[in-house]
Amino acid sequence: MPNPQPADVVVIGAGLAGLSAATRLTDAGLDVHVFEAAGHVGGRVTSEDLDGFVVDRGFQVFNTGYPRAADLDLPALELGFFERGAIIRVDGRAHRVVDPRRSPTGVVGTAAAPLGSLRQKVALAAYALRAGYGPVPRLLRAPETTAEAAFREAGIGNAAIDRFLRPFLAGVLLEDELTTSSRYVDLLWRSFVRGSTGLPAAGMRAIGEQLARRVGADRVHLRTEVRSVAPGSVTTEDGSWSAPAVVVATDPAAAARLLPAVEAAAPRQVTTHLHVLPESPWPVPLIVLGQAGGRLVNTAVVSDAQPRYSPDRRALVSSSTLVPTQEGEVRAEIAAAHGVSPSDLEHLTSVAVPEAQPAALPPLQLRRPVDLGDGLYVCGDHRDTPSIQGAMASGARAARAVLAAVRPAG
Ligand SMILES: Cc1cc2nc3c(=O)[nH]c(=O)nc-3n(C[C@H](O)[C@H](O)[C@H](O)COP(=O)(O)OP(=O)(O)OC[C@H]3O[C@@H](n4cnc5c(N)ncnc54)[C@H](O)[C@@H]3O)c2cc1C
């Protein structure tokens, strides 16, 4: 790679944090170069084509309720949506637990679902409304504890916690003890109440690809690993690049290696198995939650939400476990969740993601510093929350900090 004139900004990492920073800085007229170690943009949010199916790297969804969804051209993503809620199985029977505001047909089933007493169900609904519509400053002022303690404090009983909240949130938080910060879970629940979860027609990779197009293909240098960072310069295997502003937008572990001031939170892992069924067993796109004592955290016919994930009418099933599993160990559980025979499931592939996202234990450090001084900046999900929203929000903050430094007001 040539070593051109100094750039205004070098961004290390073309994940959603780095690309969010780079789009803003490019839009502001700065000369920005992004160095990405991998052969694709999007970082952890990526997909591949396999036998005509679109396979995301692990079960991932985009939530339109994220505030930073405003930075994307959502119509261009052609999102296909899941219904809000989930299917829980109790004693072998499937129950739909859906958002009554969106699925009037599911109201009766949801009211009758085995989620505890009427009072406990009302407590669950009241929690959802408070998180969904209460002012954010009030949510952030509420005493912080673990998610489980907060649910119990809110009067939500064991049945709703163990059958619905624990497996539903475990699929998002990648932990099933509900030790995650109640503050983060409040914010997360808010985005579920306010938005819908969907999949882009071309796979989750389309999100990063859209942002990268705005930066410019000639500005994003793939397969270019940055080995070291110093104020004013970065070093790749091809030599040094100088830039007065350097934004480290890598995953937490790489950020901690490049910048001694950064500490990497313990990562959460997930393993996802992909299967093909001759057709979907379900009338509507809904996630099926795992059951207590099982290994599955959730399983979903992703092609019900986004038909373009399948090349034909066959159904693509994505099933995840928090502990590493072999496909054969969970095939029967996946089949039972969908009410089909294990022999109906054709195994497509499996993917283990050991460093899927950082933990968000209390106390939540929502807006960790992004300006480290000396022209060094850091962003990534480890600076805000372990999510697409957190990555993009941290990228936006880093871009604002760079702009404030290169174009000081007055
Ligand atoms: C399986 C899975 C499912 C998920 N599901 C969801 C979900 O449904 N909803 C949600 O909101 N979030 C989800 N997340 C979390 C979300 O994907 C991440 O929080 C977010 O994408 C992190 O983005 P980032 O830009 O901070 O980091 P990354 O995506 O990790 O990007 C960092 C980039 O830096 C590059 N890099 C690292 N070191 C170097 C180097 N030395 N030189 C150059 N480049 C380097 C990496 O290759 C990578 O491309 C999921 C994550 C996983 C793994």
Side-chain angles (χ1 to χ4, degrees), residues 101-370:
R101 299 167 308 150
R102 302 293 170 112
S103 307
T105 54
V107 173
V108 176
T110 302
L115 294 178
S117 66
L118 181 61
R119 196 155 55 92
Q120 291 167 333
K121 287 179 185 168
V122 170
L124 176 61
Y127 168 76
L129 291 173
R130 196 165 57 244
Y133 299 108
V136 170
R138 190 185 299 164
L139 294 181
L140 296 180
R141 271 199 316 270
E144 188 182 18
T145 174
T146 64
E148 173 146 4
F151 292 147
R152 295 200 183 283
E153 180 72 14
I156 303 169
N158 284 340
I161 291 176
D162 291 335
R163 291 173 176 162
F164 178 62
L165 290 170
R166 190 185 303 282
F168 185 87
L169 286 168
V172 184
L173 307 171
L174 305 185
E175 63 95 357
D176 61 5
E177 292 178 348
L178 294 177
T179 53
T180 298
S181 157
S182 58
R183 205 161 274 175
Y184 175 43
V185 170
D186 284 353
L187 295 173
L188 199 59
W189 207 262
R190 182 181 188 82
S191 62
F192 283 121
V193 170
R194 289 174 165 247
S196 299
T197 52
L199 298 169
M204 289 294 284
R205 63 187 158 196
I207 299 170
E209 288 171 356
Q210 182 184 105
L211 292 170
R213 275 194 296 278
R214 283 171 49 196
V215 179
D218 56 330
R219 300 290 155 144
V220 180
H221 309 281
L222 298 177
R223 298 180 191 85
T224 307
E225 183 180 350
V226 169
R227 297 197 166 158
S228 64
V229 171
S233 75
V234 304
T235 305
T236 70
E237 69 173 1
D238 296 325
S240 292
W241 278 56
S242 57
V246 174
V247 181
V248 176
T250 65
D251 52 276
R257 279 195 300 275
L258 291 170
L259 297 169
V262 170
E263 272 178 48
R268 305 282 192 206
Q269 60 173 340
V270 66
T271 298
T272 302
H273 303 284
L274 278 298
H275 291 90
V276 177
L277 280 172
E279 60 184 4
S280 174
W282 301 104
V284 288
L286 267 171
I287 294 165
V288 185
L289 301 184
Q291 299 178 58
R295 296 201 186 196
L296 275 191
V297 60
N298 61 35
T299 174
V301 179
V302 286
S303 53
D304 279 351
Q306 180 48 268
R308 302 258 286 275
Y309 272 36
S310 170
D312 45 41
R313 295 185 62 80
R314 286 175 296 161
L316 180 63
V317 183
S318 176
S319 313
S320 298
T321 64
L322 298 183
V323 290
T325 46
Q326 301 294 317
E327 185 269 337
E329 295 174 297
V330 287
R331 170 183 281 249
E333 201 180 330
I334 297 167
H338 292 285
V340 300
S341 158
S343 60
D344 292 339
L345 290 165
E346 184 192 330
H347 183 218
L348 186 64
T349 189
S350 296
V351 54
V353 189
E355 300 196 347
Q357 59 192 41
L361 300 172
L364 183 68
Q365 289 172 280
L366 197 51
R367 296 187 183 93
R368 290 185 184 201
V370 291

Side-chain angles (χ1 to χ4, degrees), residues 13 15-17 36-37 43-45 57 61 66 226 251 380-381 387-388 391:
L16 300 187
E36 167 54 53
R44 277 167 268 167
V45 182
R57 187 162 178 263
V61 289
Y66 285 154
V226 169
D251 52 276
D381 58 354
S387 63
I388 291 171

Side-chain angles (χ1 to χ4, degrees), residues 388-401:
I388 291 171
Q389 160 64 24
M392 293 182 71
S394 73
R397 286 199 298 125
R400 280 197 298 275

